[in-house]
Amino acid sequence: MKLSLTLAATVAASPLGGRLKLRFKPLFPFFEVGEAVECADLIVTAEGGLDYKSARGKIPAEIGRRGAAEGKAVIVLAGTLGEHSGDVLGEGVCAYFSALGRPQSVKDAMRNVRSQLERIAEQVMRTFLAGVALGHPRTGVGQG
C-alpha cells in the first residue's frame, strides 16, 4: 500500500501585473502530482480552512477530481470547517476531517497543534483501515 501526502501552499497573483490562476496550475507540474496520484492507494491532502471556496479552485478539490478519475480514495485534513465545506465531496473527495476537536481560540489551537494533528492523523488511518477490513471480512486487517 502506498500513501501520498500532498501539502500545497496558495499562490497569489503579483500586484505588478501578474495573472491570477487556479492555485493548483502553477504548482502541480513541480510536484509530479499526476504520478503521485497514479501510484497511491490513499491520497491525503490538507487545507487550512475548508469552506465554500474549496470546491472552486483550491487544491483539495483538484486532488479530489484527479484521485476520483484514477479510482483513488482522497481525504482532506482541514484546520477548520466553514460554510459549504462539504462541497468538496462532489469533487471526488471521499471524506474530510477537522483538526479542531472542539471550539477554541486561535491561540489555544496553535498551542495544541501537535496533539490535534496526531489525533486527526490517527482517526484518518483508523477510518482507512476500517474500510480495508470491510474488504477482508473473514480475517480483518492485521490478522492472519
Side-chain angles (χ1 to χ4, degrees), residues 76-117:
V76 178
L77 306 181
T80 61
L81 301 177
E83 190 174 345
H84 298 287
S85 55
D87 290 356
V88 295
L89 298 174
E91 301 299 323
V93 171
C94 298
Y96 56 87
F97 296 83
S98 173
L100 299 180
R102 61 177 175 77
Q104 57 191 285
S105 68
V106 173
K107 184 178 176 181
D108 286 344
M110 294 307 293
R111 182 175 32 237
N112 300 319
V113 70
R114 182 182 178 109
S115 65
Q116 293 180 101
L117 289 173

mmCIF file of all heavy atoms in Angstrom, residues 76-117:
data_model
loop_
_atom_site.group_PDB
_atom_site.id
_atom_site.type_symbol
_atom_site.label_atom_id
_atom_site.label_comp_id
_atom_site.label_asym_id
_atom_site.label_seq_id
_atom_site.Cartn_x
_atom_site.Cartn_y
_atom_site.Cartn_z
ATOM 1 N N VAL A 76 -9.257 14.827 2.931
ATOM 2 C CA VAL A 76 -8.741 16.168 3.213
ATOM 3 C C VAL A 76 -8.660 16.368 4.719
ATOM 4 O O VAL A 76 -9.627 16.118 5.440
ATOM 5 C CB VAL A 76 -9.643 17.262 2.598
ATOM 6 C CG1 VAL A 76 -9.114 18.653 2.942
ATOM 7 C CG2 VAL A 76 -9.751 17.094 1.085
ATOM 8 N N LEU A 77 -7.502 16.820 5.188
ATOM 9 C CA LEU A 77 -7.323 17.252 6.568
ATOM 10 C C LEU A 77 -7.439 18.768 6.564
ATOM 11 O O LEU A 77 -6.748 19.428 5.787
ATOM 12 C CB LEU A 77 -5.948 16.854 7.096
ATOM 13 C CG LEU A 77 -5.557 15.387 6.979
ATOM 14 C CD1 LEU A 77 -4.170 15.181 7.574
ATOM 15 C CD2 LEU A 77 -6.571 14.505 7.647
ATOM 16 N N ALA A 78 -8.324 19.306 7.398
ATOM 17 C CA ALA A 78 -8.527 20.749 7.429
ATOM 18 C C ALA A 78 -8.331 21.271 8.837
ATOM 19 O O ALA A 78 -8.671 20.588 9.809
ATOM 20 C CB ALA A 78 -9.932 21.090 6.944
ATOM 21 N N GLY A 79 -7.801 22.468 8.918
ATOM 22 C CA GLY A 79 -7.702 23.104 10.216
ATOM 23 C C GLY A 79 -9.095 23.430 10.737
ATOM 24 O O GLY A 79 -9.463 23.068 11.844
ATOM 25 N N THR A 80 -9.881 24.095 9.897
ATOM 26 C CA THR A 80 -11.242 24.463 10.270
ATOM 27 C C THR A 80 -12.206 24.079 9.149
ATOM 28 O O THR A 80 -11.807 23.931 8.003
ATOM 29 C CB THR A 80 -11.368 25.985 10.522
ATOM 30 O OG1 THR A 80 -11.046 26.684 9.315
ATOM 31 C CG2 THR A 80 -10.467 26.442 11.648
ATOM 32 N N LEU A 81 -13.476 23.930 9.512
ATOM 33 C CA LEU A 81 -14.534 23.651 8.546
ATOM 34 C C LEU A 81 -15.474 24.836 8.523
ATOM 35 O O LEU A 81 -15.991 25.241 9.561
ATOM 36 C CB LEU A 81 -15.299 22.382 8.932
ATOM 37 C CG LEU A 81 -14.477 21.107 9.026
ATOM 38 C CD1 LEU A 81 -15.354 19.950 9.486
ATOM 39 C CD2 LEU A 81 -13.807 20.791 7.698
ATOM 40 N N GLY A 82 -15.681 25.388 7.346
ATOM 41 C CA GLY A 82 -16.558 26.532 7.203
ATOM 42 C C GLY A 82 -17.810 26.183 6.430
ATOM 43 O O GLY A 82 -18.097 25.010 6.143
ATOM 44 N N GLU A 83 -18.541 27.222 6.077
ATOM 45 C CA GLU A 83 -19.790 27.065 5.341
ATOM 46 C C GLU A 83 -19.547 26.362 4.006
ATOM 47 O O GLU A 83 -18.614 26.694 3.278
ATOM 48 C CB GLU A 83 -20.397 28.450 5.094
ATOM 49 C CG GLU A 83 -21.797 28.418 4.551
ATOM 50 C CD GLU A 83 -22.404 29.813 4.475
ATOM 51 O OE1 GLU A 83 -21.874 30.742 5.094
ATOM 52 O OE2 GLU A 83 -23.426 29.927 3.780
ATOM 53 N N HIS A 84 -20.334 25.354 3.714
ATOM 54 C CA HIS A 84 -20.278 24.566 2.478
ATOM 55 C C HIS A 84 -18.974 23.784 2.317
ATOM 56 O O HIS A 84 -18.553 23.487 1.196
ATOM 57 C CB HIS A 84 -20.514 25.446 1.248
ATOM 58 C CG HIS A 84 -21.862 26.095 1.236
ATOM 59 N ND1 HIS A 84 -23.012 25.394 0.981
ATOM 60 C CD2 HIS A 84 -22.235 27.377 1.483
ATOM 61 C CE1 HIS A 84 -24.045 26.213 1.056
ATOM 62 N NE2 HIS A 84 -23.599 27.417 1.365
ATOM 63 N N SER A 85 -18.357 23.417 3.412
ATOM 64 C CA SER A 85 -17.123 22.626 3.323
ATOM 65 C C SER A 85 -17.390 21.283 2.642
ATOM 66 O O SER A 85 -16.511 20.735 1.977
ATOM 67 C CB SER A 85 -16.503 22.413 4.699
ATOM 68 O OG SER A 85 -17.432 21.841 5.596
ATOM 69 N N GLY A 86 -18.599 20.782 2.754
ATOM 70 C CA GLY A 86 -18.951 19.512 2.143
ATOM 71 C C GLY A 86 -19.028 19.541 0.626
ATOM 72 O O GLY A 86 -19.144 18.492 -0.002
ATOM 73 N N ASP A 87 -18.940 20.717 0.023
ATOM 74 C CA ASP A 87 -18.972 20.801 -1.437
ATOM 75 C C ASP A 87 -17.836 20.007 -2.076
ATOM 76 O O ASP A 87 -17.950 19.558 -3.210
ATOM 77 C CB ASP A 87 -18.902 22.252 -1.908
ATOM 78 C CG ASP A 87 -20.168 23.044 -1.616
ATOM 79 O OD1 ASP A 87 -21.152 22.454 -1.109
ATOM 80 O OD2 ASP A 87 -20.173 24.258 -1.888
ATOM 81 N N VAL A 88 -16.736 19.812 -1.357
ATOM 82 C CA VAL A 88 -15.611 19.053 -1.931
ATOM 83 C C VAL A 88 -15.969 17.591 -2.147
ATOM 84 O O VAL A 88 -15.339 16.922 -2.956
ATOM 85 C CB VAL A 88 -14.328 19.167 -1.072
ATOM 86 C CG1 VAL A 88 -13.804 20.593 -1.051
ATOM 87 C CG2 VAL A 88 -14.532 18.617 0.314
ATOM 88 N N LEU A 89 -16.984 17.101 -1.457
ATOM 89 C CA LEU A 89 -17.398 15.707 -1.654
ATOM 90 C C LEU A 89 -17.911 15.487 -3.073
ATOM 91 O O LEU A 89 -17.777 14.397 -3.614
ATOM 92 C CB LEU A 89 -18.457 15.320 -0.621
ATOM 93 C CG LEU A 89 -17.999 15.385 0.838
ATOM 94 C CD1 LEU A 89 -19.168 15.126 1.774
ATOM 95 C CD2 LEU A 89 -16.855 14.416 1.095
ATOM 96 N N GLY A 90 -18.472 16.508 -3.679
ATOM 97 C CA GLY A 90 -18.925 16.431 -5.058
ATOM 98 C C GLY A 90 -17.791 16.537 -6.066
ATOM 99 O O GLY A 90 -18.011 16.403 -7.267
ATOM 100 N N GLU A 91 -16.593 16.772 -5.579
ATOM 101 C CA GLU A 91 -15.422 16.912 -6.452
ATOM 102 C C GLU A 91 -14.494 15.707 -6.381
ATOM 103 O O GLU A 91 -13.362 15.769 -6.844
ATOM 104 C CB GLU A 91 -14.649 18.190 -6.082
ATOM 105 C CG GLU A 91 -15.460 19.454 -6.201
ATOM 106 C CD GLU A 91 -15.969 19.706 -7.621
ATOM 107 O OE1 GLU A 91 -15.233 19.407 -8.588
ATOM 108 O OE2 GLU A 91 -17.102 20.189 -7.764
ATOM 109 N N GLY A 92 -14.945 14.626 -5.756
ATOM 110 C CA GLY A 92 -14.130 13.419 -5.713
ATOM 111 C C GLY A 92 -13.481 13.142 -4.367
ATOM 112 O O GLY A 92 -12.861 12.095 -4.186
ATOM 113 N N VAL A 93 -13.602 14.054 -3.427
ATOM 114 C CA VAL A 93 -13.066 13.826 -2.082
ATOM 115 C C VAL A 93 -13.974 12.831 -1.375
ATOM 116 O O VAL A 93 -15.203 12.960 -1.418
ATOM 117 C CB VAL A 93 -12.981 15.156 -1.292
ATOM 118 C CG1 VAL A 93 -12.641 14.921 0.163
ATOM 119 C CG2 VAL A 93 -11.965 16.091 -1.948
ATOM 120 N N CYS A 94 -13.391 11.822 -0.749
ATOM 121 C CA CYS A 94 -14.174 10.789 -0.050
ATOM 122 C C CYS A 94 -14.617 11.230 1.339
ATOM 123 O O CYS A 94 -15.696 10.877 1.787
ATOM 124 C CB CYS A 94 -13.353 9.510 0.094
ATOM 125 S SG CYS A 94 -12.884 8.783 -1.460
ATOM 126 N N ALA A 95 -13.745 11.958 2.035
ATOM 127 C CA ALA A 95 -14.042 12.392 3.401
ATOM 128 C C ALA A 95 -13.129 13.548 3.775
ATOM 129 O O ALA A 95 -12.082 13.751 3.165
ATOM 130 C CB ALA A 95 -13.831 11.234 4.382
ATOM 131 N N TYR A 96 -13.552 14.299 4.789
ATOM 132 C CA TYR A 96 -12.702 15.358 5.316
ATOM 133 C C TYR A 96 -12.807 15.358 6.828
ATOM 134 O O TYR A 96 -13.808 14.938 7.403
ATOM 135 C CB TYR A 96 -13.060 16.726 4.729
ATOM 136 C CG TYR A 96 -14.499 17.140 4.918
ATOM 137 C CD1 TYR A 96 -14.917 17.807 6.064
ATOM 138 C CD2 TYR A 96 -15.436 16.869 3.933
ATOM 139 C CE1 TYR A 96 -16.232 18.185 6.222
ATOM 140 C CE2 TYR A 96 -16.758 17.250 4.088
ATOM 141 C CZ TYR A 96 -17.140 17.910 5.229
ATOM 142 O OH TYR A 96 -18.459 18.291 5.392
ATOM 143 N N PHE A 97 -11.751 15.808 7.463
ATOM 144 C CA PHE A 97 -11.668 15.840 8.914
ATOM 145 C C PHE A 97 -11.131 17.188 9.359
ATOM 146 O O PHE A 97 -10.237 17.738 8.723
ATOM 147 C CB PHE A 97 -10.702 14.754 9.427
ATOM 148 C CG PHE A 97 -11.152 13.350 9.148
ATOM 149 C CD1 PHE A 97 -10.910 12.762 7.913
ATOM 150 C CD2 PHE A 97 -11.797 12.611 10.123
ATOM 151 C CE1 PHE A 97 -11.309 11.469 7.654
ATOM 152 C CE2 PHE A 97 -12.200 11.307 9.865
ATOM 153 C CZ PHE A 97 -11.959 10.738 8.631
ATOM 154 N N SER A 98 -11.634 17.696 10.468
ATOM 155 C CA SER A 98 -11.131 18.936 11.046
ATOM 156 C C SER A 98 -10.147 18.625 12.159
ATOM 157 O O SER A 98 -10.389 17.748 12.991
ATOM 158 C CB SER A 98 -12.285 19.763 11.619
ATOM 159 O OG SER A 98 -11.777 20.875 12.325
ATOM 160 N N ALA A 99 -9.048 19.357 12.182
ATOM 161 C CA ALA A 99 -8.055 19.172 13.239
ATOM 162 C C ALA A 99 -8.567 19.663 14.584
ATOM 163 O O ALA A 99 -8.101 19.214 15.621
ATOM 164 C CB ALA A 99 -6.758 19.899 12.877
ATOM 165 N N LEU A 100 -9.523 20.570 14.562
ATOM 166 C CA LEU A 100 -10.044 21.115 15.812
ATOM 167 C C LEU A 100 -11.114 20.183 16.368
ATOM 168 O O LEU A 100 -12.132 19.958 15.735
ATOM 169 C CB LEU A 100 -10.625 22.504 15.601
ATOM 170 C CG LEU A 100 -9.640 23.557 15.086
ATOM 171 C CD1 LEU A 100 -10.343 24.894 14.909
ATOM 172 C CD2 LEU A 100 -8.446 23.686 16.009
ATOM 173 N N GLY A 101 -10.860 19.653 17.546
ATOM 174 C CA GLY A 101 -11.800 18.735 18.166
ATOM 175 C C GLY A 101 -12.917 19.426 18.918
ATOM 176 O O GLY A 101 -13.910 18.808 19.281
ATOM 177 N N ARG A 102 -12.748 20.726 19.153
ATOM 178 C CA ARG A 102 -13.749 21.495 19.896
ATOM 179 C C ARG A 102 -13.571 22.971 19.568
ATOM 180 O O ARG A 102 -12.513 23.378 19.092
ATOM 181 C CB ARG A 102 -13.579 21.275 21.391
ATOM 182 C CG ARG A 102 -12.216 21.723 21.909
ATOM 183 C CD ARG A 102 -12.075 21.580 23.420
ATOM 184 N NE ARG A 102 -10.744 21.897 23.848
ATOM 185 C CZ ARG A 102 -10.236 23.124 23.963
ATOM 186 N NH1 ARG A 102 -10.976 24.166 23.655
ATOM 187 N NH2 ARG A 102 -8.999 23.318 24.368
ATOM 188 N N PRO A 103 -14.583 23.803 19.832
ATOM 189 C CA PRO A 103 -14.401 25.242 19.630
ATOM 190 C C PRO A 103 -13.287 25.762 20.535
ATOM 191 O O PRO A 103 -13.195 25.372 21.708
ATOM 192 C CB PRO A 103 -15.751 25.841 20.048
ATOM 193 C CG PRO A 103 -16.720 24.712 19.935
ATOM 194 C CD PRO A 103 -15.938 23.473 20.259
ATOM 195 N N GLN A 104 -12.412 26.592 19.993
ATOM 196 C CA GLN A 104 -11.302 27.132 20.764
ATOM 197 C C GLN A 104 -10.723 28.351 20.072
ATOM 198 O O GLN A 104 -10.947 28.568 18.888
ATOM 199 C CB GLN A 104 -10.233 26.068 20.971
ATOM 200 C CG GLN A 104 -9.685 25.474 19.687
ATOM 201 C CD GLN A 104 -8.848 24.251 19.948
ATOM 202 O OE1 GLN A 104 -7.727 24.362 20.396
ATOM 203 N NE2 GLN A 104 -9.409 23.082 19.668
ATOM 204 N N SER A 105 -9.984 29.116 20.808
ATOM 205 C CA SER A 105 -9.346 30.304 20.256
ATOM 206 C C SER A 105 -8.185 29.885 19.356
ATOM 207 O O SER A 105 -7.673 28.760 19.461
ATOM 208 C CB SER A 105 -8.819 31.193 21.386
ATOM 209 O OG SER A 105 -7.730 30.551 22.041
ATOM 210 N N VAL A 106 -7.768 30.786 18.495
ATOM 211 C CA VAL A 106 -6.615 30.513 17.641
ATOM 212 C C VAL A 106 -5.387 30.256 18.505
ATOM 213 O O VAL A 106 -4.588 29.357 18.219
ATOM 214 C CB VAL A 106 -6.368 31.688 16.668
ATOM 215 C CG1 VAL A 106 -5.075 31.503 15.901
ATOM 216 C CG2 VAL A 106 -7.535 31.843 15.720
ATOM 217 N N LYS A 107 -5.255 31.002 19.578
ATOM 218 C CA LYS A 107 -4.115 30.828 20.486
ATOM 219 C C LYS A 107 -4.087 29.406 21.060
ATOM 220 O O LYS A 107 -3.048 28.745 21.065
ATOM 221 C CB LYS A 107 -4.200 31.851 21.626
ATOM 222 C CG LYS A 107 -3.037 31.826 22.576
ATOM 223 C CD LYS A 107 -3.197 32.907 23.641
ATOM 224 C CE LYS A 107 -2.083 32.841 24.661
ATOM 225 N NZ LYS A 107 -2.255 33.856 25.693
ATOM 226 N N ASP A 108 -5.234 28.919 21.522
ATOM 227 C CA ASP A 108 -5.309 27.557 22.054
ATOM 228 C C ASP A 108 -5.059 26.520 20.962
ATOM 229 O O ASP A 108 -4.385 25.521 21.182
ATOM 230 C CB ASP A 108 -6.666 27.289 22.710
ATOM 231 C CG ASP A 108 -6.799 27.979 24.056
ATOM 232 O OD1 ASP A 108 -5.774 28.394 24.626
ATOM 233 O OD2 ASP A 108 -7.951 28.095 24.522
ATOM 234 N N ALA A 109 -5.615 26.767 19.778
ATOM 235 C CA ALA A 109 -5.426 25.826 18.670
ATOM 236 C C ALA A 109 -3.947 25.714 18.307
ATOM 237 O O ALA A 109 -3.438 24.615 18.089
ATOM 238 C CB ALA A 109 -6.238 26.268 17.461
ATOM 239 N N MET A 110 -3.251 26.828 18.261
ATOM 240 C CA MET A 110 -1.833 26.810 17.914
ATOM 241 C C MET A 110 -0.994 26.175 19.025
ATOM 242 O O MET A 110 -0.010 25.503 18.744
ATOM 243 C CB MET A 110 -1.337 28.222 17.609
ATOM 244 C CG MET A 110 -1.976 28.821 16.365
ATOM 245 S SD MET A 110 -1.850 27.775 14.900
ATOM 246 C CE MET A 110 -0.106 27.797 14.613
ATOM 247 N N ARG A 111 -1.392 26.367 20.240
ATOM 248 C CA ARG A 111 -0.652 25.787 21.366
ATOM 249 C C ARG A 111 -0.787 24.260 21.367
ATOM 250 O O ARG A 111 0.134 23.545 21.737
ATOM 251 C CB ARG A 111 -1.173 26.366 22.687
ATOM 252 C CG ARG A 111 -0.428 25.844 23.897
ATOM 253 C CD ARG A 111 -0.843 26.480 25.218
ATOM 254 N NE ARG A 111 -2.238 26.866 25.280
ATOM 255 C CZ ARG A 111 -2.662 28.116 25.536
ATOM 256 N NH1 ARG A 111 -1.815 29.075 25.734
ATOM 257 N NH2 ARG A 111 -3.950 28.376 25.581
ATOM 258 N N ASN A 112 -1.911 23.756 20.897
ATOM 259 C CA ASN A 112 -2.189 22.314 20.910
ATOM 260 C C ASN A 112 -2.098 21.673 19.532
ATOM 261 O O ASN A 112 -2.614 20.572 19.329
ATOM 262 C CB ASN A 112 -3.593 22.063 21.484
ATOM 263 C CG ASN A 112 -3.715 22.581 22.890
ATOM 264 O OD1 ASN A 112 -2.811 22.429 23.691
ATOM 265 N ND2 ASN A 112 -4.833 23.222 23.189
ATOM 266 N N VAL A 113 -1.444 22.329 18.604
ATOM 267 C CA VAL A 113 -1.456 21.855 17.224
ATOM 268 C C VAL A 113 -0.874 20.448 17.079
ATOM 269 O O VAL A 113 -1.411 19.626 16.342
ATOM 270 C CB VAL A 113 -0.756 22.859 16.274
ATOM 271 C CG1 VAL A 113 0.740 22.900 16.498
ATOM 272 C CG2 VAL A 113 -1.091 22.544 14.835
ATOM 273 N N ARG A 114 0.188 20.134 17.791
ATOM 274 C CA ARG A 114 0.802 18.812 17.647
ATOM 275 C C ARG A 114 -0.169 17.702 18.053
ATOM 276 O O ARG A 114 -0.370 16.736 17.311
ATOM 277 C CB ARG A 114 2.079 18.725 18.470
ATOM 278 C CG ARG A 114 2.766 17.386 18.320
ATOM 279 C CD ARG A 114 4.022 17.299 19.185
ATOM 280 N NE ARG A 114 4.621 16.007 19.047
ATOM 281 C CZ ARG A 114 5.758 15.765 18.416
ATOM 282 N NH1 ARG A 114 6.421 16.765 17.872
ATOM 283 N NH2 ARG A 114 6.234 14.551 18.334
ATOM 284 N N SER A 115 -0.786 17.847 19.216
ATOM 285 C CA SER A 115 -1.702 16.791 19.671
ATOM 286 C C SER A 115 -2.936 16.707 18.770
ATOM 287 O O SER A 115 -3.455 15.611 18.523
ATOM 288 C CB SER A 115 -2.101 17.008 21.129
ATOM 289 O OG SER A 115 -2.838 18.198 21.274
ATOM 290 N N GLN A 116 -3.393 17.843 18.260
ATOM 291 C CA GLN A 116 -4.557 17.826 17.379
ATOM 292 C C GLN A 116 -4.239 17.154 16.039
ATOM 293 O O GLN A 116 -5.045 16.383 15.515
ATOM 294 C CB GLN A 116 -5.073 19.251 17.160
ATOM 295 C CG GLN A 116 -5.647 19.819 18.456
ATOM 296 C CD GLN A 116 -6.178 21.211 18.292
ATOM 297 O OE1 GLN A 116 -7.380 21.376 18.171
ATOM 298 N NE2 GLN A 116 -5.299 22.195 18.295
ATOM 299 N N LEU A 117 -3.056 17.410 15.511
ATOM 300 C CA LEU A 117 -2.660 16.764 14.261
ATOM 301 C C LEU A 117 -2.444 15.269 14.454
ATOM 302 O O LEU A 117 -2.786 14.463 13.585
ATOM 303 C CB LEU A 117 -1.413 17.422 13.683
ATOM 304 C CG LEU A 117 -1.630 18.826 13.115
ATOM 305 C CD1 LEU A 117 -0.296 19.446 12.719
ATOM 306 C CD2 LEU A 117 -2.596 18.806 11.942
#
